[in-house]
Every structure is written in C-alpha cells, then in structure tokens.
Amino acid sequence: MLMLSSAELPDAAKQSIGQALLKWRDQSSIAFDWVKDLQTVDADAVAKLKTASYDYIYVAGNGLFSSAAAWMGANPTSGKWTFLQSEPDAANQSAAIADKAALLQVDTAQIETMKKTWVQSLLDQQTPIEWVTKAERPIPSVWAPSEESDHIVLLDNNPQWFQQLAFQVNQHHAKWVVFYAQAEEAQVQKAKTLGISVMDLTAALSANLSWDDILANRLGVMMNHSWQAGVQNYNLQELKELKMK
C-alpha cells in the first residue's frame, strides 16, 4: 500500500501514521511505501504511483486532496483510494472525490449544527452583526431578514467592499463581522483592522482527531476486504472533539 501524507498534518498525526505503518508491516505483513510531508502530489509521489501497483492508496490531509484527485481522475488504477480529512471542510469541496474513492470526513451536518448554534447565540443576545458573503451564498433569511439587507456586504466584483463594510460597522455599531462565503485570507485580515470581532464561518471549526483509531479502523477494512467508495463520517472514537476556533 502507498501512504501520501500532507506536510500540514499535526506532528501527532505524523507519528501515528509512522507507528501504524510499521505495525501493519510487522503484524499483518502489509508492505508499504510512504511519501510524507507533501505540499502537493509531486514528482516523487507520481513516480511511486507510476512504477508500482498498490492495492490501497491513502491520502492523509486536506491539502493534498485536490492534486491527488486530479491525478486519480486522469490515471485510473486498480488501487483503492482512501482520502482522510485532517480538518473540517466547511465548503464541502471534498465530496466530489467520493464517486471513485472512500472519503472519511468530519460530519458536515455536525459542522452546520455547530455553526448555526454559534450564530443563534449572537442573535439571541441581539448582537449587531455585519455579514460578508458572495451572491452565490445568500445569508439565510432567519439570520438576516430582507429588511436588514444593509447589514450585508457582497465581495463579488466589489473593490469598495471594505469601505462599505467600515461604513456599516460604524453605522450599526456592529460587534461582529461574519464571513459566510469563502474569502481570501487577506480580506479576512483586513476586516480585523476594524477593531471588532471577526469570524470566518468557512474555516470556523477545528477537529481533534484520534489518528490511532482512524488507522486501526483502516487496517480492519483492508484485512476484512470491506473497502467501498463513498463518503463516511468519522465515528465517535475517531473524532474526539469538534469545536469553534
């Protein structure tokens, strides 16, 4: 089997992977190659994929998903691909992978519930919020009724978005700026210069994952020949905690 792991993985995850691979080899006779600390599926990883035939291919870490999926799509193999999320994917971009691979992910419904609970707590306290989004991602009317449209700033083709946001923050004495659509990190950081609290809901959550349990369960899948493509949520042992950043 082949393990491709992202440079962005926490040290504890890298350690768990290293220990698991040795255990798989020594106790279950599973030969492995490991290409680690990748920023993308690079020439070294591609060389492994081209020169060897693997029964199982693992991609650990969200940062590798796009390049690995592109290679997988362009180069069909008999190997069974498994993508392991390392952090929540609020935009649910990973889902497109799942028609050809197994995708283990943080439950998107759980993510949405936690975000809704957080926003509702602000609304219950009558906290003034300015929303930043894009036309394709309208703010739910329960959060920003149509009569409060002047609390929304659109990023689409709007070079004056920051000036508009600053005006609305002052006009409404806002306490929070909440980004509801994906924005550039520079845009989020610029909003923070307004001196009030800023939340990027597209990257608002962090997951405390048990990589020992994740990998132990993957071994079970291989030994039982029970791999199947599709989306699977991390279970209660694999996902220890999901929290707002």
Side-chain angles (χ1 to χ4, degrees):
M1 55 79 59
L2 174 65
M3 174 68 72
L4 307 176
S5 63
S6 170
E8 299 171 357
L9 287 178
D11 289 341
K14 297 176 183 179
Q15 184 177 359
S16 290
I17 290 173
Q19 292 172 345
L21 292 175
L22 293 176
K23 187 176 179 180
W24 294 356
R25 183 192 64 190
D26 297 341
Q27 297 183 8
S28 303
S29 301
I30 296 176
F32 70 86
D33 286 316
W34 183 16
V35 186
K36 55 186 174 180
D37 294 328
L38 293 168
Q39 298 291 344
T40 185
V41 175
D42 62 8
D44 191 15
V46 168
K48 294 283 188 186
L49 287 162
K50 285 184 174 179
T51 57
S53 178
Y54 297 98
D55 292 329
Y56 292 93
I57 303 156
Y58 291 90
V59 182
N62 297 41
L64 299 182
F65 283 13
S66 178
S67 56
W71 197 93
M72 178 184 70
N75 301 272
T77 69
S78 60
K80 298 175 175 65
W81 288 74
T82 300
F83 290 73
L84 303 172
Q85 274 191 3
S86 54
E87 59 189 24
D89 177 12
N92 203 25
Q93 294 176 322
S94 304
I97 296 167
D99 60 338
K100 298 178 181 177
L103 168 65
L104 267 74
Q105 66 169 18
V106 179
D107 185 354
T108 53
Q110 192 175 350
I111 292 173
E112 289 304 309
T113 296
M114 186 164 283
K115 290 193 297 184
K116 288 176 182 176
T117 299
W118 181 83
V119 171
Q120 193 60 50
S121 70
L122 292 184
L123 297 177
D124 290 345
Q125 299 168 45
Q126 298 185 330
T127 303
I129 301 172
E130 298 304 313
W131 297 91
V132 182
T133 190
K134 297 177 181 177
E136 64 193 29
R137 288 273 293 169
I139 308 300
S141 59
V142 68
W143 291 349
S146 57
E147 64 268 20
E148 296 182 8
S149 60
D150 60 338
H151 286 260
I152 300 171
V153 173
L154 293 179
L155 290 171
D156 309 59
N157 301 314
N158 184 7
Q160 302 299 315
W161 72 270
F162 180 72
Q163 291 88 333
Q164 182 184 348
L165 178 62
F167 171 77
Q168 291 180 190
V169 164
N170 290 329
Q171 183 184 40
H172 302 136
H173 306 291
K175 301 297 183 184
W176 278 90
V177 171
V178 179
F179 283 79
Y180 188 64
Q182 278 198 310
E184 298 173 8
E185 178 61 24
Q187 293 173 319
V188 177
Q189 292 302 319
K190 191 163 188 177
K192 290 181 179 180
T193 65
L194 295 172
I196 65 172
S197 300
V198 176
M199 173 63 77
D200 179 2
L201 277 185
T202 70
L205 282 78
S206 63
N208 183 5
L209 297 170
S210 172
W211 284 92
D212 289 343
D213 287 301
I214 291 168
L215 294 162
N217 290 334
R218 292 303 94 199
L219 174 62
V221 167
M222 289 188 289
M223 299 303 292
N224 295 324
H225 304 288
S226 58
W227 181 95
Q228 55 184 349
V231 176
Q232 304 161 46
N233 294 327
Y234 286 125
N235 63 33
L236 293 175
Q237 287 72 43
E238 295 166 334
L239 175 60
K240 296 191 288 186
E241 184 183 22
L242 183 64
K243 61 184 180 181
M244 301 292 292
K245 291 181 180 178

